[in-house]
Amino acid sequence: MASFDPFPVLTTPRLTLRSIEPSDVERIFRIQSDPEVTRYFGRGPDGSIADSERRIAAILAGVRENTSIRWGITLKENGELVGTGGFWRWNKPHRWAEIGYELLPALWNRGIMTEALRAVLRFGFESMELHRVEAHIDPENRASARVLERLGFVREGQHRQNWYYDGRFTDTAVYGLLRDEAAAT
């Protein structure tokens, strides 16, 4: 099973995926406080730097405890942190985890998230020995669905009205990717 010490830095042609540090709080706040980024999260945007500090503390605790991992997505050209992505809800006995991710809107539709998640998925299947990766998204989030489909994920179903936020129930689309399917893409 994977160890996250030392933290595994991942690289792609345009990106470096590195650990998220407390000093990233301003960048994390910029991402997490953007209503466009959190539009389909089923929660509101971060309202304060303190919210982002708590988010970073939770990420670091998951890495330290070897229960989850999330990378800061940075551009190689300037080192700017533009998003995050990684695994949570890691079910070690059954060798699956849920993937989550977000990116600043100014960089949407450039293939950045697809590029980053390919590296994350490779790490998950090879180093964490995952057999399956799941993604749970709002069915209205077509951009996220396109990213998942490009990576080989299959829409497996939909949980009806299983999430309550902002005075209403919403559905959750469930996508899955198996190790063998990822190797074929």
Side-chain angles (χ1 to χ4, degrees), residues 4 56-70 90:
F4 305 143
I56 291 171
I59 290 168
L60 295 176
V63 170
R64 185 176 53 255
E65 296 161 8
N66 207 47
T67 59
S68 62
I69 186 168
R70 195 163 197 92
W90 184 11

Side-chain angles (χ1 to χ4, degrees), residues 45-108:
D46 282 3
S48 69
I49 290 287
D51 291 339
S52 296
E53 288 171 338
R54 283 188 290 277
R55 186 172 312 285
I56 291 171
I59 290 168
L60 295 176
V63 170
R64 185 176 53 255
E65 296 161 8
N66 207 47
T67 59
S68 62
I69 186 168
R70 195 163 197 92
W71 286 266
I73 301 169
T74 65
L75 302 175
K76 276 187 178 177
E77 66 189 40
N78 60 16
E80 179 183 8
L81 180 73
V82 296
T84 75
F87 298 110
W88 63 302
R89 292 187 185 162
W90 184 11
N91 187 319
K92 292 177 185 180
H94 298 286
R95 297 175 49 198
W96 67 267
E98 185 175 338
I99 197 166
Y101 46 88
E102 67 277 327
L103 183 69
L104 283 172
L107 297 169
W108 290 355

Side-chain angles (χ1 to χ4, degrees), residues 12-29:
T12 72
R14 297 182 292 169
L15 309 169
T16 299
L17 283 69
R18 59 157 177 86
S19 63
I20 296 170
E21 302 297 335
S23 60
D24 291 321
V25 68
E26 293 285 341
R27 297 299 299 178
I28 296 295
F29 179 70

Side-chain angles (χ1 to χ4, degrees), residues 36-48:
E36 282 300 301
V37 171
T38 62
R39 179 178 177 189
Y40 298 110
F41 281 13
R43 66 164 174 81
D46 282 3
S48 69

